[in-house]
Amino acid sequence: MENAVKEKLSNGEKVLGSFIGIYSPNLVELMGYSGFDFVVIDDEHGAFSHSELENMIRTAESVNVVPIVRVSYDNASIQKALDRGAKGIQVPMVNTKEDAEKAVQKSKFPPRGTRGAAYSHRAARFGKDSGSEFLEASDEKILVIPHIETLEAVENFKEIMTVDGIDMAFIGTTDLSVNMGYKSEGPKHPEVQKVVSDLYRKAAEENFKIGTVASDSTGAQRAFLKGASYVGVVAISVILKSLEQVVDATQISCKEEV
């Protein structure tokens, strides 16, 4: 089992991915052809059946994109994602050290965790991989990424990040802004930005890796400059903005001709 994103992060490299919340294997293919490092298949906010989730993961692997799943709140969500071949999980609303420990436990096989063992699923190539070699490779290669998206999580940041098995933190800026009470201003509010900047500072001091979300290439560049190693743009936002630009440019052109 290989995980190119985990290897790049271990080597100090930065990685770029995209969140996808709609069932579209073709869109995953486009991400691969465009050169993205990973896709985050959004099972928290997106609408996926278990078989659709598997097809999205399969497609990502076919174009050399690392499949990550943002899991739902279902107790079996981590197990389902990993058995279908996800190379990492993003876990929303991790607010305490105990939450982080539970995420790790569900992601690792005994004795490190409580993940159920089986070899008949596609993550184990339907039985071609088995035994200690598969179990140990899974424990080593799979990324476990908690979301830091509440003030409680911010306060417990260091405790969360020092849990054995946590690979990096993901700052969920939208949820953080709502949790802080800035529903209208959103992540751009100065107080939210202050908290985010403080998280980057703490991460740099403790040598923790940080990931976050961006709406476009400019936002991704800013995040990397702040210290993020892992940035996911929102595919739908990028597509919508591009379509709106086409419409706006066409309308302007028509008005000029008149």
Side-chain angles (χ1 to χ4, degrees):
M1 178 185 293
E2 299 298 327
N3 187 335
V5 165
K6 190 162 188 175
E7 291 177 9
K8 288 181 178 180
L9 291 171
S10 297
N11 292 330
E13 299 178 52
K14 300 181 187 301
V15 292
L16 178 67
S18 179
F19 281 80
I20 300 179
I22 59 173
Y23 178 63
S24 178
N26 287 343
L27 183 53
V28 176
E29 279 193 272
L30 285 172
M31 295 299 167
Y33 300 144
S34 300
F36 283 83
D37 296 295
F38 64 92
V39 293
V40 180
I41 304 163
D42 190 356
D43 201 32
E44 181 192 15
H45 297 294
F48 298 100
S49 67
H50 294 320
S51 59
E52 289 173 342
L53 189 68
E54 185 168 292
N55 283 334
M56 294 283 278
I57 291 169
R58 180 182 290 112
T59 303
E61 292 178 334
S62 75
V63 288
N64 297 317
V65 176
V66 174
I68 310 292
V69 173
R70 175 157 69 175
V71 297
S72 71
Y73 301 98
D74 188 300
N75 284 332
S77 184
I78 291 175
Q79 178 88 46
K80 294 291 187 183
L82 297 181
D83 284 357
R84 279 156 178 77
K87 296 300 189 301
I89 55 164
Q90 293 190 198
V91 185
M93 295 295 169
V94 174
N95 295 318
T96 65
K97 177 182 178 180
E98 291 73 22
D99 289 342
E101 289 173 338
K102 289 178 182 178
V104 172
Q105 288 168 2
K106 290 182 179 181
S107 306
K108 309 292 184 183
F109 293 110
R112 292 186 66 187
T114 59
R115 179 183 171 189
Y119 307 116
S120 57
H121 48 67
R122 73 174 302 274
R125 298 194 299 165
F126 304 106
K128 287 186 68 67
D129 299 329
S130 62
S132 61
E133 185 175 353
F134 168 74
L135 301 178
E136 291 170 7
S138 295
D139 283 353
E140 179 185 350
K141 299 295 184 179
I142 287 169
L143 285 161
V144 181
I145 306 169
H147 277 221
I148 306 299
E149 48 195 355
T150 68
L151 283 176
E152 183 181 11
V154 171
E155 292 171 3
N156 295 322
F157 179 61
K158 186 173 180 179
E159 287 188 349
I160 290 170
M161 292 306 297
T162 52
V163 169
D164 184 35
I166 294 297
D167 293 288
M168 64 182 301
F170 188 90
I171 305 174
T173 53
T174 298
D175 270 307
L176 180 60
S177 66
V178 172
N179 181 262
M180 292 178 64
Y182 303 113
K183 299 176 183 179
S184 299
E185 302 91 331
K188 293 182 180 179
H189 191 282
E191 289 300 314
V192 179
Q193 287 299 305
K194 181 180 178 181
V195 171
V196 171
S197 295
D198 196 46
L199 284 171
Y200 278 112
R201 179 185 61 78
K202 291 178 180 178
E205 290 175 353
E206 301 291 341
N207 201 29
F208 299 147
K209 295 189 183 303
I210 285 281
T212 194
V213 64
S215 60
D216 53 26
S217 59
T218 301
Q221 291 169 352
R222 288 173 180 165
F224 283 133
L225 289 173
K226 286 181 180 178
S229 300
Y230 173 108
V231 178
V233 297
V234 180
I236 292 301
S237 297
V238 173
I239 293 169
L240 180 61
K241 185 175 290 186
S242 297
L243 293 174
E244 289 175 338
Q245 288 173 346
V246 171
V247 172
D248 291 343
T250 303
Q251 291 175 341
I252 292 172
S253 177
C254 290
K255 290 178 180 178
E256 289 176 346
E257 288 181 6
V258 173

